[in-house]
């Protein structure tokens, strides 16, 4: 019985660490995108604790489906570009923590520059996700006028993987 308990504890610790790592890496990727697009990262830094609190809660409950960084014109509110991080949950026990930040940087440098634009972080949640203080209900802006590009897998852990798409 004790051996099984050790195995269960180890699996829970791997999942917990993977969730925290993934939340941190989503924020890190969004910092890269904001910076590479020529926008001010200060606003993201100010709301980072709220973003992380939500991401960690929803990842732990397996309710986060995707995280988006939406860049829009502050006058017309037209979406200029968007970065999508789609989440896939796995049940592996091999501990690993990888982020392909070079792939992220290469892609975001090709998106252009958007000084003067604003951005926001939006998430898509599965049914039953709890409310998290600081987050409000909203809808994504239309990207019908933009072209989607599949960047590939950018976050890989034992419990969570994320594939990146960009719209520009």
């Amino acid at each position: 019985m004790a051996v099984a308990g050790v195995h269960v504890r180890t699996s829970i610790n791997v999942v917990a660490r993977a969730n925290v790592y993934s939340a941190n890496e989503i924020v890190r990727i969004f910092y890269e995108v904001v910076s590479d697009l020529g926008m001010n990262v200060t606003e993201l830094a100010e709301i980072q604790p709220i973003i992380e609190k939500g991401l960690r809660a929803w990842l732990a409950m397996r309710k986060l489906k995707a995280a988006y960084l939406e860049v829009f014109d502050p006058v017309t509110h037209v979406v200029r570009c968007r970065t999508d991080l789609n989440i896939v949950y796995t049940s592996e026990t091999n501990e690993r923590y990888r982020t392909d930040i070079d792939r992220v940087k290469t892609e975001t440098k090709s998106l252009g520059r958007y000084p003067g634009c604003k951005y926001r972080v939006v998430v898509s949640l599965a049914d039953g996700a709890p409310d998290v203080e600081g987050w409000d209900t909203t809808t994504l802006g239309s990207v019908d006028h933009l072209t989607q590009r599949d960047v590939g897998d950018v976050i890989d852990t034992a419990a969570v993987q994320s594939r990146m798409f960009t719209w520009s």
Side-chain angles (χ1 to χ4, degrees):
M1 222 39 172
V3 173
V6 170
H7 177 69
V8 171
R9 182 177 301 130
T10 301
S11 296
I12 291 170
N13 288 338
V14 168
V15 171
R17 282 192 298 269
N19 289 336
V20 171
Y21 176 87
S22 297
N24 291 346
E25 291 303 287
I26 290 169
V27 173
R28 177 182 176 204
I29 288 170
F30 287 166
Y31 269 110
E32 283 294 333
V33 174
V34 169
S35 178
D36 287 346
L37 297 180
M39 297 182 298
N40 187 345
V41 298
T42 304
E43 294 170 16
L44 187 56
E46 291 171 357
I47 60 173
Q48 181 176 342
I50 295 167
I51 294 169
E52 288 176 346
K53 183 177 180 180
L55 294 177
R56 288 177 181 168
W58 297 316
L59 283 166
M61 298 181 72
R62 294 181 162 246
K63 297 295 186 179
L64 181 66
K65 293 171 28 179
Y68 309 92
L69 181 76
E70 187 178 76
V71 176
F72 60 95
D73 182 297
V75 176
T76 65
H77 298 284
V78 171
V79 176
R80 301 289 307 277
C81 72
R82 192 176 82 194
T83 300
D84 302 0
L85 295 173
N86 293 348
I87 305 299
V88 174
Y89 296 98
T90 64
S91 299
E92 300 176 31
T93 57
N94 295 333
E95 201 164 357
R96 67 179 181 283
Y97 307 97
R98 288 184 287 237
T99 302
D100 194 343
I101 202 68
D102 290 333
R103 179 179 285 189
V104 171
K105 289 178 181 183
T106 299
E107 176 63 20
T108 57
K109 288 185 188 307
S110 72
L111 294 176
R113 308 276 288 173
Y114 297 92
C117 282
K118 297 287 185 185
Y119 57 87
R120 65 186 186 141
V121 174
V122 179
V123 295
S124 174
L125 303 172
D127 290 340
D131 291 337
V132 173
E133 186 178 344
W135 288 82
D136 295 318
T137 303
T138 190
T139 56
L140 287 165
S142 173
V143 290
D144 292 345
H145 59 289
L146 301 175
T147 302
Q148 184 186 44
R149 179 176 158 88
D150 183 349
V151 179
D153 295 330
V154 293
I155 299 172
D156 181 28
T157 74
V160 179
Q161 296 173 337
S162 181
R163 188 167 195 90
M164 182 173 161
F165 296 86
T166 57
W167 296 83
S168 61

